[in-house]
Amino acid sequence: MKVCLEFLGCRLNESELQSWAEEFSKQGLMLTTKAQEASVIVLNTCAVTGEAARKSRQHLRKLHRSNPVAKLVATGCYASLEPEKVAEILGVDLVVTNPQKQDLVSMVFDQIELPEMPSMATDPGESAIFSRNRDRAFIKVQDGCRYRCTYCIVTVARGDERSRTIEEIVNEVNQHYRQGIREIVLTGVHVGGYGSDIDSDLYHLVQQILRQTKIPRIRFASVEPWDLPENFFKLFEDKRLMPHMHLPLQSGCNSVLRRMSRRCKTEEFAALIAKAKTLIPEFNVTTDIIVGFPGETDEEWEQTQDFVKLMNFGHIHIFSYSNREGTKAARLPQQIDANTKKTRSQQLHKMAIESTTNQLAQQLGKQCEVLLESGKEQLEDGRFRYWGHTPNYYKICLVDHRDDLGSQIVIIDITGIHAAGSYLETALVAKISDPEASLKHFQWVS
Ligand code: SF4
């Protein structure tokens, strides 16, 4: 789930976005600058002049038009001066006045029912876990899915599995590399099923990408935790494959998984993760969980919580179940009420934060290579703040006096965890100017 934060008016209004951004990230939401892709949009309004108030109203309407399904939150001076009027503007779901601003994030979670089920389990080219930026390319390797998970509309919407040829994919990767891209994410609706229609498989595809391209960093978007080819994890011996996978579990209870028609039981999931962690140093697993699936009893929910605790996920995307017309799950009896879903979602958010914090703590003192994103901000002391991810996909922040580190692979020391608990603080060790030189290094230097 993504949140888009916008402001009108003064610097103070702008600076408030930063603390909300940190709090939302802590709750597991990703930030986006595009209102169209957000589930929640917050506008910090201004009322310094009549014109500013008019613009605030106009901008709220525009945001609603650009994404009518997103939840729209109005806050700031104009929303405080005329809260009733603002609440009546088409599309506004919540008004947060200035005195309530420090509680804005908790008010969003308490007072808005968030549309948390993704419209599709995975959407090629997009992934809940990876943000789009100029340094990372999403390569769609296949479309469609042969399975029928009962909550998923994807098979209806996208049809049977169709894989692109290895040649096509390799050419696309090489083209991105020539254009300066240094990280690719292989995506699809059912990536693990790659090749089933063309007598190939994911192992073979990745092997050929490694052989026929020089792309230094390869990641996978969401991959269902079954159908992975034999010896798949052996591929990670090549350090160009980043030691992280997003493996959607959806529930930690086998009876719920059965009702979902998932093809992986909890024992098999646990065994898969254990195998990956044994074979791949520093391997990080992130996942999706749906709370409040039809018929989910208290006991089944307990089982999910117990299983999640055991898995040490680096990050959990939490979705409250919502009915999708045309799916089998929508016709299942015993739909769960909104309050129960909200309570379960809050419980799981708390566990997810603890789990991420524990995993971040284990990164302290390590040294690794990161690809810094091209965007940077200049701080008041003149230094620059860069963002990136460790090979195993923990978010890092680097503050340095150099202004030329964007879009570069650098070696960093992990020195701390930011107070908001959502990312790692780091210090620059060395810059690797020639991207190909990075291949001589292990991603984990120590
Ligand atoms: S495996 Fe299930 S959830 Fe994933 S795309 Fe196929 S039907 Fe949807």
Side-chain angles (χ1 to χ4, degrees), residues 121-122 145 147-149 151-152 154-155 189-190 224 226 262:
T122 42
C145 178
Y147 296 104
R148 296 284 184 276
C149 299
Y151 57 84
C152 181
V154 77
T155 39
V189 172
H190 179 45
E224 298 293 357
W226 64 85
R262 300 287 288 169

Side-chain angles (χ1 to χ4, degrees), residues 3-6 13 16-24 27 29 40-45 71-76 79-80 94-112 114:
V3 59
C4 173
L5 303 171
E6 295 199 4
N13 260 13
E16 282 163 345
L17 303 192
Q18 182 58 32
S19 60
W20 292 330
E22 284 172 6
E23 271 187 73
F24 274 118
Q27 296 294 332
L29 270 74
V40 181
I41 304 171
V42 179
L43 179 67
N44 209 358
T45 60
K71 299 294 178 185
L72 184 56
V73 181
T75 186
S80 302
L94 178 67
V95 177
V96 179
T97 59
N98 282 344
Q100 299 170 315
K101 269 180 170 173
Q102 67 202 37
D103 300 321
L104 182 137
V105 175
S106 55
M107 285 175 74
V108 167
F109 279 96
D110 290 346
Q111 297 185 28
I112 290 183
L114 298 172

Side-chain angles (χ1 to χ4, degrees), residues 153-191:
I153 194 77
V154 77
T155 39
V156 182
R158 290 200 183 261
D160 292 338
E161 290 177 20
R162 295 166 312 278
S163 308
R164 293 173 70 200
T165 64
I166 290 180
E167 190 188 357
E168 246 182 334
I169 296 167
V170 162
N171 287 344
E172 190 183 338
V173 174
N174 280 329
Q175 196 184 344
H176 282 297
Y177 182 75
R178 282 194 295 274
Q179 289 165 357
I181 292 285
R182 292 296 173 258
E183 182 169 300
I184 57 162
V185 183
L186 303 179
T187 76
V189 172
H190 179 45
V191 175

